[in-house]
Amino acid sequence: MQRRTVLVRFIQGIHALMAATLAFVVGGAVVAPSFTRRPRAWLPAAVLTDLEEGTPKQIAVEVKRADGATEAIDRRVVYVVRSGDSVRVLDSTCTHLGCRTRFDAESRRIECPCHGGMYDAAGRVIGGPPPSPLQTLPARIEDGRVFVEI
Ligand code: FES
């Protein structure tokens, strides 16, 4: 093997090592957060007696999470719908492309302002492009207070 060939292979090896290191660092920074499971928590969302039967009440729930050395607060908007002594909690995020929906008291529909998606008070799709119902979140009632797991 010629001296020149050995040198070329050595330089190619260094380039491959640099590329692998770069891919590891950048890939880890981009992909790793997707696989990190955020701890779930039960958060207070409403008082049962404050809820009107069958009418979605829009509530913003604050979720604290560690963000490096500090703490960040994420806001999740949910609908709490009472049905007798039980409740259903729906995520307000449209299942089409993720816009925030809102409940229209007149039409009694949950509407998405982005592309005209419509859901009934139970979160079922009744019009527009959403492919599936609003996501139902785990909920429980304790001493008349509604908690949602986020
Ligand atoms: Fe809601 Fe498109 S994002 S209908």
Side-chain angles (χ1 to χ4, degrees), residues 32-99:
S34 310
F35 293 103
T36 306
R37 297 196 77 198
R38 201 176 67 193
R40 298 179 68 85
W42 285 96
L43 302 168
V47 174
L48 188 63
T49 52
D50 292 346
L51 301 172
E52 196 178 309
E53 180 78 21
T55 301
K57 182 170 185 176
Q58 192 169 320
I59 292 170
V61 179
E62 293 187 343
V63 185
K64 292 179 186 162
R65 64 175 168 81
D67 185 17
T70 62
E71 192 173 70
I73 296 178
D74 293 334
R75 286 185 55 176
R76 289 275 299 270
V77 178
V78 298
Y79 298 111
V80 182
V81 189
R82 181 177 179 174
S83 176
D85 285 338
S86 65
V87 291
R88 185 171 195 180
V89 178
L90 304 168
D91 191 333
S92 68
T93 307
C94 182
T95 58
H96 180 223
L97 293 176
C99 288

Side-chain angles (χ1 to χ4, degrees), residues 14-28:
I14 289 175
H15 284 164
L17 191 63
M18 287 169 56
T21 303
L22 189 65
F24 179 77
V25 171
V26 172

Side-chain angles (χ1 to χ4, degrees), residues 93-101 111-119 127-130:
T93 307
C94 182
T95 58
H96 180 223
L97 293 176
C99 288
R100 166 95 32 90
T101 59
E111 300 173 342
C112 179
C114 293
H115 312 103
M118 289 181 281
Y119 305 85

